[in-house]
Amino acid sequence: MLCTATGMTTEFGGIAGLLTRTGDTAAPLDKKLAVFGRQLIVFSLLLVGVVIVAGLFHKLPLADIIRTGIALSVAAIPEGLPIVATLALAKGMLRMVRKHIIVKQLAAVETLGLTTVICTDKTGTLTENQLELVQLEFPPAYQWQKSDPAIVRYGESYKRFFQVAVLCNTAMVRREENGKLKTAGDPLEIGLQKFIMEMGSDINNGDAGYIKVKEQPFASETRIMGMVHQGGRSLLITAKGAMEDLLSHCTNILENNVIRPLTDDDKKKWLLRNRQLAGEGLKPLASAYGETMGTDKEFLKDLTFIGLAGFLDPPRKDVEGAINLCRQAGIRIVMLTGDHPSTAGYVAKKLKLSADPAIITGRDMKPYEKLDVTEKAHWAEMDVFARVSPAQKLELIKVLQENHEIVAMTGDGVNDAPSLRKADIGIAMGVRGSQISQEAADMILQDDAFSSLVL
């Protein structure tokens, strides 16, 4: 094993550093109580001053004047206020427990009621998070859909796609003795393995004879996952990810069982098809492979493009009604996702996030330090943020808070922890949420359902 980084120089260390630099945002209730406390102090001092002046005017004993002033100032402070506020918040917390919401801080109950913007993830929160492969496309024009009775084993293309689905995959899908499937891992990779099993192939034998040599995990910055396996004398490279990013690593295309150079026209054609699939509500995934005798650190190069897969993740049935209730309450919903903007736009329209959802991508978002007033106002008006990184989520929350919005943020991953802490109220997922995101949040959705937020 080769150690490449330790401590704060690792990826987890970078997230930890970002988390420590992100201070907790004071709840609106705490701010109101602080203002109310200062007002009481000023009122008490004024009251004492009036009593002293009145007492001196009537030539009363100074000791009696001071005792009376102090007594009146103490009486002006409502000592029962904290008890009343705690009881009211506790009642709200009990109501939320019945809705499968764990409240970690009492003040969060009041904050949720004051929320004006909810920044929510798409996958698993607004959608079912049950990704199913429903469409396959290989060059030059082969297309398979879920409605077709059977898939055609399209020669070399299907063979290479099978290798990518099995080898470039870290999920676990196993059929138990009772016939049920036991799964663990990323929903998209689970969907790939389920598809292979439905086609009658044995996943357990798919990686036989291959030994993993290197791995590049999927990251929001690269949007590509790659693996290198030793198989015989040569090394097999398998990769999958976003079409627009994976194509930049490809120099060839597999067409009619023959490898030929990838042209600019090919790239335009498949990028267009990628947008079309995304516009139909599917999550597109491109795949590629390569063979080499040796690899360096950057092994994702000179790859051969295989084809495109489309996954369906239907919206939750109860979300549209919840969004409508939020709109009636004056709460705006903002979708944050790493998916293709067309896919995000389709889901936003399906859920009636707005009549005409305004979409911006991560590539069009400048760093926070370079934003002017006009650009910040533009961000605040967007309905959908696609292809965004965790750092950009954090910057968006800053912009919304500067715009005097009370922001709620939902998240599940380790990278979401800084945003959850920065938001006025952080809401973590209880089923698929990481431990660090749940620790950074103020609330936890036990069922991962967005509709649970609408009481």
Side-chain angles (χ1 to χ4, degrees):
M1 179 180 292
L2 176 64
C3 180
T4 58
T6 60
M8 296 303 289
T9 58
T10 63
E11 290 296 326
F12 274 100
I15 295 170
L18 187 60
L19 195 58
T20 55
R21 293 193 298 271
T22 304
D24 291 321
T25 302
L29 180 62
D30 295 332
K31 296 177 182 178
K32 291 179 181 177
L33 290 177
V35 172
F36 183 60
R38 289 194 294 269
Q39 292 174 342
L40 280 178
I41 292 174
V42 173
F43 174 76
S44 300
L45 292 175
L46 290 175
L47 184 62
V48 171
V50 170
V51 170
I52 291 176
V53 171
L56 293 175
F57 179 78
H58 291 285
K59 298 181 179 180
L60 298 176
L62 183 60
D64 293 341
I65 295 173
I66 294 175
R67 280 197 296 269
T68 303
I70 294 174
L72 288 174
S73 62
V74 171
I77 299 175
E79 62 273 9
L81 178 62
I83 298 175
V84 173
T86 301
L87 289 175
L89 294 175
K91 183 179 179 181
M93 183 185 69
L94 291 175
R95 286 186 61 194
M96 298 181 78
V97 168
R98 299 189 191 104
K99 293 287 185 177
H100 310 290
I101 299 179
I102 298 176
V103 181
K104 297 172 60 180
Q105 297 183 10
L106 278 178
V109 177
E110 193 256 358
T111 305
L112 186 61
L114 295 176
T115 297
T116 58
V117 176
I118 299 178
C119 296
T120 176
D121 186 26
K122 178 184 75 68
T123 304
T125 306
L126 301 180
T127 62
E128 296 286 353
N129 198 29
Q130 297 293 329
L131 289 165
E132 180 184 15
L133 200 158
V134 297
Q135 191 155 328
L136 263 180
E137 298 191 7
F138 298 136
Y142 173 76
Q143 184 181 107
W144 171 86
Q145 295 181 335
K146 185 71 175 178
S147 57
D148 294 343
I151 188 171
V152 177
R153 309 297 185 185
Y154 196 65
E156 188 73 8
S157 294
Y158 185 83
K159 171 190 171 183
R160 294 300 183 180
F161 172 77
F162 175 84
Q163 289 179 327
V164 171
V166 174
L167 297 177
C168 192
N169 197 315
T170 57
M172 184 277 292
V173 178
R174 185 175 68 245
R175 191 171 296 279
E176 300 289 314
E177 294 181 358
N178 57 9
K180 293 183 179 180
L181 287 179
K182 183 178 182 181
T183 63
D186 183 81
L188 186 142
E189 296 188 337
I190 292 174
L192 273 174
Q193 293 202 20
K194 283 184 176 180
F195 169 79
I196 295 298
M197 294 176 68
E198 289 172 0
M199 294 302 108
S201 300
D202 188 351
I203 293 177
N204 296 325
N205 292 331
D207 57 356
Y210 288 97
I211 302 173
K212 186 166 70 172
V213 177
K214 286 187 178 182
E215 176 182 355
Q216 178 179 302
F218 179 88
S220 57
E221 293 79 17
T222 61
R223 295 198 290 271
I224 299 175
M225 177 181 182
M227 295 277 194
V228 180
H229 285 81
Q230 178 76 51
R233 295 182 178 179
S234 63
L235 297 174
L236 175 64
I237 303 171
T238 54
K240 67 180 191 297
M243 175 72 78
E244 56 268 35
D245 294 286
L246 188 59
L247 274 183
S248 62
H249 297 270
C250 296
T251 55
N252 300 302
I253 184 170
L254 181 59
E255 184 176 282
N256 291 327
N257 299 328
V258 177
I259 297 176
R260 66 169 178 82
L262 181 69
T263 65
D264 290 338
D265 289 338
D266 292 326
K267 292 182 178 180
K268 291 178 182 178
K269 171 188 173 182
W270 285 99
L271 285 172
L272 174 61
R273 189 59 191 141
N274 187 71
R275 288 193 297 271
Q276 290 173 341
L277 284 185
E280 296 170 5
L282 300 182
K283 182 183 180 70
L285 180 74
S287 56
Y289 80 101
E291 291 181 326
T292 182
M293 299 304 295
T295 62
D296 51 21
K297 185 177 181 181
E298 300 295 333
F299 59 85
L300 292 177
K301 58 184 179 181
D302 298 328
L303 301 179
T304 300
F305 175 70
I306 300 171
L308 186 62
F311 293 80
L312 179 64
D313 185 16
R316 288 178 179 261
K317 296 179 180 179
D318 55 349
V319 169
E320 183 178 343
I323 290 176
N324 186 46
L325 289 174
C326 288
R327 189 183 299 110
Q328 294 176 10
I331 302 173
R332 193 163 65 90
I333 309 299
V334 177
M335 181 194 297
L336 310 178
T337 179
D339 284 350
H340 193 282
S342 297
T343 305
Y346 176 88
V347 175
K349 291 178 181 178
K350 195 78 174 177
L351 295 175
K352 298 180 181 178
L353 209 62
S354 68
D356 185 19
I359 305 174
I360 187 173
T361 63
R363 288 182 175 178
D364 297 328
M365 297 171 65
K366 293 182 180 179
Y368 176 81
E369 296 76 13
K370 297 182 180 179
L371 291 175
D372 56 30
V373 177
T374 304
E375 289 168 328
K376 288 182 179 181
H378 180 65
W379 280 24
E381 295 173 353
M382 294 292 104
D383 300 305
V384 177
F385 290 78
R387 298 293 200 208
V388 291
S389 66
Q392 289 172 326
K393 293 181 182 180
L394 182 61
E395 293 173 348
L396 171 62
I397 291 175
K398 291 181 182 178
V399 169
L400 291 173
Q401 289 175 335
E402 289 177 2
N403 202 39
H404 307 292
E405 304 280 7
I406 305 297
V407 183
M409 169 75 187
T410 68
D412 58 354
V414 174
N415 290 340
D416 292 326
S419 300
L420 292 172
R421 175 171 288 184
K422 177 63 179 175
D424 295 287
I425 175 169
I427 305 169
M429 302 297 109
V431 178
R432 58 189 173 87
S434 62
Q435 183 176 354
I436 190 171
S437 67
Q438 294 177 6
E439 291 178 356
D442 304 299
M443 289 182 177
I444 299 174
L445 294 182
Q446 291 181 291
D447 55 2
D448 288 9
F450 179 84
S451 57
S452 298
L453 294 174
V454 184
L455 301 179

